[in-house]
């Protein structure tokens, strides 16, 4: 039996082998099955509680799009307002630049320990490894991130980084890494309490706190951070220095627009009207404040996003990283996030990774889609993901990067489709050949052996059934 290696799976071009290993990994399949239905059901309930979710979605999209249309103006205004409130804004074109800026700030503070809230930007730049190479320890404080940091793995989901782990695997991990004594970690409550006790020490000792940002509000210079654990607030307020790592497309014009986006974010991500902790941070502490850091820095990363905004793929920049497209994708649901071999998995990752890394570095990803359209249907920003994937496939074909068999089959299909009578004749013959060879014997069986994980096709069929029931 194969298992996917969640530590060394870092190659998007290895998707096929990685996906095949993931399909045979029974622990992974158990974890994915448990997580998937939870996300889908919660989102469904949350959006049905809104009178007109489509209207809310449209408003949120307009808010996001208008910020992107005037991005430089909003970024400049955000910077002006952060500086006015006593903070500093740094711009980084590349991941290496962001890491250097963060390192310099940490070194100025003589930092030995950094606590971290969840930040996909810091995953993009491999910030933890970089800081640790320079003698600065990092402690992830989001529970999922903490689990995968202990396991030396990478997140497999953009909002649920440890979704690939079963409860039993997490208990084993804690047993290995913590001094548990007689404590028993059978229950989820016990696991959470165990992590909380460990993280509390880190919160109190940290010299610098690094968080991500869900939104940057231009006309107030505020940074919005949403979490369900409150770890973002503790990371931002307890250490002497707070560093925010964000990407350029996070900026919105004002609080009203931020409110519209936050309403669709919580519902789409975790099925909540609002995340439990939705906090806005404005600069360092003032003399009248009881707590807060004495230094406040925002580091804003581009990493190819300006180029994407100026391309036919610009719609992708509306992404608010809610994860709904992952949760509803039959491919992600079958293979999980590590198979994609990079920071962003699922449909949004299959678009983003080739755009950010180069299409040659992620050739299989635009093909890792059934084109069922569920991702676009559930995306609160109405990003036309299947169309963007189709365009990427087209770009691959133009560059001669498309899989040879696929190019050949499509070439033959295209040639036939222009000759209706021959097309009809060939399809009729094909149908008879299929019957002759009793295709049911070469397609996956309907009823798997009791312990066998579902094959990809079976997963896909089930999710299609769920889809028609759900939507
Ligand atoms: S593409 Fe849409 S659904 Fe997917 S993470 Fe981004 S905003 Fe959410």
């Amino acid at each position: 039996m194969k298992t996917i290696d969640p530590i060394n799976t870092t190659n998007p071009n290895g998707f096929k082998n990685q996906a095949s290993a993931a399909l045979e990994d029974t622990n992974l399949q158990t974890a994915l099955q448990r997580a998937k239905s939870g996300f889908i059901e919660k989102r469904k309930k949350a959006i049905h509680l809104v009178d007109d979710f489509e209207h809310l979605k449209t408003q949120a999209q307009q808010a996001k799009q208008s910020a992107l249309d005037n991005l430089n103006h909003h970024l400049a205004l955000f910077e002006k307002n952060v500086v006015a409130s006593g903070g500093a804004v740094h711009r980084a074109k590349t991941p290496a630049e962001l890491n250097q800026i963060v390192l310099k700030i940490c070194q100025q503070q003589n930092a030995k320990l950094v606590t971290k809230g969840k930040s996909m930007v810091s995953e993009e730049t491999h910030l933890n490894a970089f800081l640790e190479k320079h003698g600065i320890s990092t402690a992830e404080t989001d529970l999922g991130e903490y689990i995968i940091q202990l396991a030396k793995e990478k997140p497999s989901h953009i909002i649920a980084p440890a979704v690939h782990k079963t409860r039993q695997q997490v208990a084993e991990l804690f047993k290995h890494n913590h001094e548990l004594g007689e404590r028993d970690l059978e229950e989820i409550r016990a696991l959470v309490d165990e992590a909380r006790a460990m993280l509390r020490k880190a919160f109190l000792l940290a010299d610098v706190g690094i968080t991500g940002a869900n939104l940057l509000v231009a006309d107030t210079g505020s940074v919005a951070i949403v979490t369900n654990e409150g770890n973002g607030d503790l990371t931002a307020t307890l250490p002497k220095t707070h560093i925010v790592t964000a990407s350029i497309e996070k900026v919105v014009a004002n609080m009203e627009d931020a409110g519209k986006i936050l309403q669709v974010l919580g519902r789409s991500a975790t099925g909540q009207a609002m995340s439990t902790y939705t906090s806005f941070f404005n600069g360092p502490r003032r003399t009248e404040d009881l707590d807060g850091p004495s230094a406040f820095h925002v580091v804003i990363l581009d990493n190819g996003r300006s180029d994407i905004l100026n391309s036919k793929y610009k719609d992708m920049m509306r992404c608010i990283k809610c994860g709904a497209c992952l949760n509803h994708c039959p491919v992600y649901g079958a293979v999980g996030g590590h198979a994609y071999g990079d920071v962003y998995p699922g449909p949004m990752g299959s678009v983003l990774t080739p755009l950010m890394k180069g299409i040659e570095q992620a050739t299989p990803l635009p093909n890792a889609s059934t084109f069922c359209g569920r991702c676009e249907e559930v995306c609160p920003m109405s990003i036309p993901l299947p169309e963007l994937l189709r365009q990427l496939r087209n770009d691959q074909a133009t560059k001669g990067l498309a899989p040879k068999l696929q190019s050949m089959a499509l070439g033959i299909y295209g040639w036939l489709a222009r000759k209706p009578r021959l097309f009809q004749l060939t399809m009729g013959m094909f149908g008879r050949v299929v019957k002759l060879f009793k295709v049911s014997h070469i397609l996956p069986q309907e009823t798997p052996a009791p312990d066998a994980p579902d094959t990809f096709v079976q997963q896909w069929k089930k999710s299609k059934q769920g889809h028609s029931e759900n939507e």
Side-chain angles (χ1 to χ4, degrees), residues 300-341:
I300 306 179
L301 177 69
D302 189 308
N303 196 19
R305 288 170 172 83
S306 295
D307 294 338
I308 299 174
L309 270 171
N310 288 322
S311 75
K312 60 186 174 189
Y313 297 104
K314 61 176 186 252
D315 286 339
M316 196 60 224
M317 287 295 101
R318 283 203 306 276
C319 178
I320 54 172
K321 311 283 186 311
C322 71
C325 60
L326 279 64
N327 302 335
H328 291 76
C329 173
V331 178
Y332 177 92
V335 302
H338 290 137
Y340 291 78

Side-chain angles (χ1 to χ4, degrees), residues 36 39-41 43-44 157 268 323-333 347 372-379 463 467 470-471:
K36 194 165 74 172
F39 278 128
I40 293 175
E41 280 306 309
R43 174 191 167 273
K44 190 177 146 196
H157 190 292
S268 305
C325 60
L326 279 64
N327 302 335
H328 291 76
C329 173
V331 178
Y332 177 92
C372 65
R374 294 183 80 186
C375 49
E376 180 173 0
E377 214 174 299
V378 297
C379 175
S463 86
H467 176 48
N470 292 334
E471 302 300 330

Side-chain angles (χ1 to χ4, degrees), residues 90-103:
H90 314 258
R91 300 286 288 270
K93 206 155 176 47
T94 62
E97 276 178 38
L98 180 136
N99 287 349
Q100 283 297 343
I101 293 166
V102 173
L103 176 66

Side-chain angles (χ1 to χ4, degrees), residues 413-430:
Y413 185 87
W415 181 78
L416 275 176
R418 284 192 288 274
K419 297 173 175 52
R421 294 191 62 159
L422 186 60
F423 182 84
Q424 219 173 8
L425 193 73
T426 315
M427 288 300 127
M429 276 169 58
F430 180 70

